[in-house]
Amino acid sequence: MMGQPILVLKQGTQREQGEPALILNIDAGSAIADAVRTTLGPKGMDKMLVDGMGDTIITNDGVTILKELDVEHPAAKMVIEAAKTQDDECGDGTTSTVILTGELLQEAKPLIKENIHPTVIVEGYQLALKKALEVLRGCAPSIAHGMQNEGVRDTLLSVAMTSMTGKSTEENKHDLAELVVDVILAIAKGPSGQEDMVDLEDVAVVKLKGKAVGATNRINGLVIKKDKASKGMRADLSDGLVNIGLLSGSLRVKDHSVNIQQVEELEKLMDRDDQELLKLIDGVTEAGINVLFVQKDISDEAAGMLEENGIIGFRRVTEEEMDMLSRATGATITSKAKDLKGKTGRCLYSEKKHEGALHVYLTAGDEQGTFPIQTILVRGATDHVVDEIERSIHDALSTVGVAYEEGLVNIGGGSSFMEIVLALEKYANEIEGRRSFAVKGFAKAMEAIPRTLAENAGLDKIDTILNLRKAHTEGHKYHGVNVVTGTVEDMRALEVVEPHKLVEMALVGAVETCTMILRIDDVIASKGMDLGQPGQPPQGPQQGPPPGMG
Ligand code: ADP
Ligand code: MG
């Protein structure tokens, strides 16, 4: 080269390289953990998030908080992505994922300052992760599949309750946990022991403001909010069971664009339209349909004719609703009215008004048993309450589903993490070279979960950790933090149970994110992008509670 600098970057581009870049990223990533730390565990506090429009969310849910934060720093964004992935996969464990990521990053900092190369730290972390997962698996009692198994039901109830502890569902968690488990067992498919699959798309959640949370209930069937195509429509519901038809096309005669010169021509055309419409309606009546759901439109004339024939019709039903209707009632979706015959489904039909809006109930008749679609009607006094209850129920559904599918659970309250800490401390001594420092750092990071649980419960974190260590050294591998009494005890007795996959994914997600961040030694940001200063908290919407309340 000629010794002349080659400019490849635009003027105004920001660039951070080497150790300063790394430290900046570490601090930005950890700042995200600081934003949610106080919400961890049953004694965690809620946060009030206010967006630019003044809309408020009150939540304890890590990922909900993080989604609302307006974060600029790319490393911080990576941590938020990790939380979102955790939420998508397991529906819970987001705060833990973020806290673990933050701790792993912070533990790497002194090592970097000691000139241990980031790739060595990453290697050490990978070794530690492998070991940690083994330990986690080793202290995961398995639950057998099968709906008849009472033991499974009890374990799933504990999983549901653990997931709902400390949230706005707390007061009603016993009833809600029963409800969630019933729903999951109802939609779980496959022969017991094999391929038990839980698809949360089989659960409809309808939010209804106006009653106490305790009035939240499960419907063995599908409830959808929908207006009839014509207000006067009534069906003969004498024996309760009705035939359901599902039409993906329209129930109307196609519009013509013809040039009409004479009155006779117009009359002929109208006659033809009437005939065509009659044929469509015949298709519906011949199929013996009492209630018809149409994805596209029902013309007013067609609606009138349905009404005359004692048929209830609904128009503009969404594709998702059509799918659910089909799975719930066994009806096949058909594109043409004349093909409806033989494709109908059967169920009980009823209507109810909630908050002035018509809700249609399609439920199982006595002899039909459990419907493959279940609906939860979420109740609460205000929109805020209903929303937060819905989030909490959603999380519980996911966690119970995950636990049921995998058939493995871990005991919570920080117990599994303390097992991991002790095992890794031992393991670090077996490893040669600098990687052992990273394994030690990893072990220390794992302590953050029990420590934060204790801290958020207002307990002395040092005493708690010391007691916990002692218990685990003595072989009590299920001992965790009782956040109510402040003592260290067997979490099985307190029924603090989480899906194994949830904890596993949290660990894997945290290490992956941390590794990605540690491998970056050069941050190049285009003009106008603010990389921020180390330690600067993320700029987000106003956050509560005010400092000091956590
Ligand atoms: P996340 O978003 O990570 O799920 P949570 O606020 O739900 O965060 O807290 C989960 C942590 O709280 C887990 O470590 C779990 O074991 C612990 N935990 C839940 N219930 C209890 C309890 N009753 N006693 C002690 N720890 C609990
Ligand atoms: Mg949780």
Side-chain angles (χ1 to χ4, degrees), residues 254-461:
K254 280 199 195 77
D255 292 332
H256 310 274
S257 57
V258 285
N259 222 339
I260 294 166
Q261 253 106 39
Q262 286 171 319
V263 181
E264 296 88 72
E265 271 183 59
L266 179 65
E267 281 177 349
K268 242 170 90 196
L269 196 65
M270 284 170 69
D271 268 355
R272 220 177 65 205
D273 280 1
D274 285 348
Q275 290 305 319
E276 232 178 273
L277 189 58
L278 271 177
K279 255 203 229 149
L280 288 178
I281 302 296
D282 279 350
V284 180
T285 50
E286 275 165 23
I289 285 167
N290 310 103
V291 182
L292 179 70
F293 292 88
V294 178
Q295 198 172 338
K296 291 192 182 141
D297 197 18
I298 300 179
S299 68
D300 289 342
E301 293 82 26
M305 290 172 85
L306 289 178
E307 187 178 336
E308 277 167 27
N309 283 288
I311 297 167
I312 299 177
F314 296 91
R315 55 162 77 111
R316 307 243 171 264
V317 183
T318 65
E319 197 178 338
E320 197 193 355
E321 287 168 338
M322 292 293 277
D323 268 355
M324 280 197 155
L325 283 161
S326 168
R327 274 177 287 148
T329 67
T332 309
I333 302 172
T334 328
S335 62
K336 293 203 175 73
K338 66 175 169 53
D339 299 332
L340 279 166
K341 203 169 176 180
K343 305 269 174 67
T344 56
R346 220 164 148 68
C347 64
L348 290 175
Y349 177 94
S350 59
E351 299 167 357
K352 257 186 207 160
K353 278 226 159 143
H354 297 295
E355 290 182 68
L358 186 74
H359 287 72
V360 181
Y361 286 58
L362 301 164
T363 50
D366 284 341
E367 74 285 2
Q368 286 176 300
T370 307
F371 258 13
I373 297 275
Q374 301 281 308
T375 303
I376 299 176
L377 300 179
V378 180
R379 303 297 195 129
T382 66
D383 284 332
H384 286 155
V385 175
V386 175
D387 286 349
E388 180 70 349
I389 297 286
E390 192 235 1
R391 274 194 290 274
S392 180
I393 286 184
H394 171 264
D395 288 359
L397 284 169
S398 316
T399 41
V400 172
V402 166
Y404 183 79
E405 276 189 353
E406 200 193 20
L408 279 178
V409 290
N410 271 112
I411 308 299
S415 66
S416 309
F417 284 97
M418 193 40 93
E419 275 297 292
I420 295 175
V421 172
L422 292 186
L424 286 182
E425 281 172 356
K426 228 166 98 196
Y427 182 53
N429 294 329
E430 296 164 19
I431 292 177
E432 288 182 5
R434 296 170 166 221
R435 289 182 306 186
S436 71
F437 292 114
V439 176
K440 276 200 189 107
F442 191 111
K444 186 123 179 286
M446 298 298 109
E447 231 177 57
I449 298 295
R451 191 178 61 232
T452 309
L453 286 172
E455 208 170 354
N456 289 349
L459 308 174
D460 187 308
K461 56 185 179 188

Side-chain angles (χ1 to χ4, degrees), residues 40-42 92-93 96 136 139-141 155 158-163 165 408-420 446 449-451 453-454 464 468 472 476-483 487-504:
L40 185 82
D92 202 5
S96 306
L136 189 69
C139 55
T155 310
S158 307
V159 171
M161 279 195 277
T162 303
S163 159
T165 312
L408 279 178
V409 290
N410 271 112
I411 308 299
S415 66
S416 309
F417 284 97
M418 193 40 93
E419 275 297 292
I420 295 175
M446 298 298 109
I449 298 295
R451 191 178 61 232
L453 286 172
T464 310
L468 199 56
H472 280 256
H476 301 295
K477 62 177 176 181
Y478 297 126
H479 270 45
V481 187
N482 182 337
V483 290
T487 51
V488 159
E489 54 189 278
D490 196 323
M491 288 286 121
R492 285 176 301 183
L494 296 180
E495 296 180 50
V496 184
V497 182
E498 294 155 316
H500 168 257
K501 188 175 162 205
L502 181 140
V503 193
E504 182 183 65

